[in-house]
Amino acid sequence: MEQASILVIGGAEDKVNQLEILQTFWQRAGGVDAQLGIIPAASGEPAMIGEIYQRLFENMGCKAVQVLDVREREQSEDPSWHNHLGEMTGIFLTGGDQLRLATLLADSALLTALRFYRERGTLTLAGTSAGAAAMGYHMIAGGGSGESPHPALVSMAGGLGFLPGVIVDQHFHNRNRVARLLSAVVMHPECLGVGVDEDTCAVFEADGQLQVVGRGTVMIVDAGEASYFCEPQPHSTLPISAHNLRVHLLRWGDRFDVQHRRVLPPLLHHCSA
């Protein structure tokens, strides 16, 4: 069976009006038949954040929503997660601190179970803000903004590995994070950089396509055909140099072939000129 979708949300998604992104996740996870799990492990207030999302999905009509409140490493090592996740159709990773999230889940029984059911195609996965940042194998753990791109501008760590060839940054244009994503991609040119704005979602489909949902943009940074890199040294504050990077700016309805790194014909845009 093919894998289900992965939804990478830039944070601050609409929770009041049309709830387009949260509705998209719920529908992809089964709609009225969905059985959802909320993992608020990235948050400093997991009980409150978990309850907020639980109520949101219940108000949409979801009949089965659980908060998987993992606060200690020992909890994520419980082997019973394998059977527990087997009943679920969707998992939502909330915002907070992506380094905390990765530390709690890395190489754990919970992460192993998540990967198992993802590979079986029975589990739709979504992450917002910190939950989105942790999706790749290489994860942006922190960094600055408003400077020229340089290696010290971005702090990298190991992520959860659901999107191994992708580096995600979130709250993207809203927090002026273009330079730090460029810095990360130059240090890991084999990866595709994906910067996602607030209230915007990059939906990674099972067939390898990316589709944009929401009101902002998704920036793709592709170094696959770059002709020159300046050999950046870790922690250096010297500006980087990179030639022939490819950059794509995608909005609602735009699509991108992740495997072949090319833009696809868009869906009909729902905004006027």
Side-chain angles (χ1 to χ4, degrees):
M1 184 181 293
E2 289 186 334
Q3 292 185 350
S5 303
I6 296 179
L7 284 72
V8 176
I9 306 165
E13 68 281 355
D14 173 26
K15 302 180 183 67
V16 178
N17 298 309
Q18 296 182 347
L19 290 78
E20 180 183 20
I21 293 171
L22 296 178
Q23 288 274 5
T24 299
F25 166 66
W26 176 50
Q27 293 296 335
R28 294 298 183 93
V32 293
D33 296 321
Q35 298 190 55
L36 303 183
I38 314 295
I39 299 180
S43 175
E45 298 179 316
M48 181 186 73
I49 295 298
E51 183 179 357
I52 287 172
Y53 282 101
Q54 183 176 20
R55 287 181 177 177
L56 282 168
F57 289 119
E58 287 175 346
N59 289 339
M60 289 179 196
C62 187
K63 300 173 183 177
V65 190
Q66 298 180 48
V67 177
L68 311 182
D69 194 353
V70 178
R71 305 190 189 192
E72 303 294 337
R73 178 71 191 189
E74 292 76 13
Q75 293 173 283
S76 67
E77 295 288 4
D78 189 338
S80 67
W81 284 118
H82 185 86
N83 291 330
H84 193 54
L85 292 185
E87 303 172 356
M88 296 187 174
T89 60
I91 293 291
F92 192 96
L93 304 173
T94 75
D97 181 346
Q98 56 262 42
L99 195 56
R100 170 178 166 80
L101 176 63
T103 300
L104 284 173
L105 297 192
D107 299 320
S108 68
L110 175 52
L111 182 58
T112 299
L114 286 169
R115 287 176 175 166
F116 176 81
Y117 291 110
R118 280 274 318 128
E119 291 170 1
R120 285 189 62 182
T122 59
L123 195 63
T124 296
L125 185 65
T128 185
S129 190
M135 290 295 186
Y137 178 79
H138 296 291
M139 178 182 76
I140 294 178
S145 62
E147 301 179 42
S148 299
H150 61 269
L153 189 64
V154 60
S155 174
M156 303 297 295
L160 302 179
F162 293 112
L163 296 170
V166 172
I167 297 175
V168 174
D169 210 347
Q170 15 72 40
H171 302 282
F172 192 58
H173 286 105
N174 312 81
R175 299 187 184 177
N176 193 18
R177 289 177 169 173
V178 175
R180 81 173 191 178
L181 182 61
L182 289 170
S183 302
V185 170
V186 169
M187 288 191 288
H188 299 281
E190 74 283 3
C191 292
L192 198 69
V194 178
V196 189
D197 291 348
E198 292 179 355
D199 195 22
T200 309
C201 177
V203 183
F204 287 79
E205 307 285 11
D207 61 4
Q209 294 184 18
L210 178 158
Q211 179 180 327
V212 178
V213 175
R215 66 179 176 85
T217 62
V218 172
M219 178 179 282
I220 305 291
V221 181
D222 179 6
E225 297 182 4
S227 58
Y228 170 78
F229 289 109
C230 62
E231 299 294 333
Q233 299 300 312
H235 312 300
S236 171
T237 58
L238 292 175
I240 60 174
S241 177
H243 302 172
N244 293 320
L245 296 176
R246 300 186 69 188
V247 176
H248 308 281
L249 196 60
L250 312 178
R251 63 176 180 175
W252 187 95
D254 285 342
R255 299 184 299 150
F256 186 81
D257 184 334
V258 176
Q259 181 179 357
H260 299 99
R261 299 195 173 192
R262 59 189 178 93
V263 176
L264 298 170
L267 300 174
L268 292 176
H269 285 134
H270 67 171
C271 53
S272 60

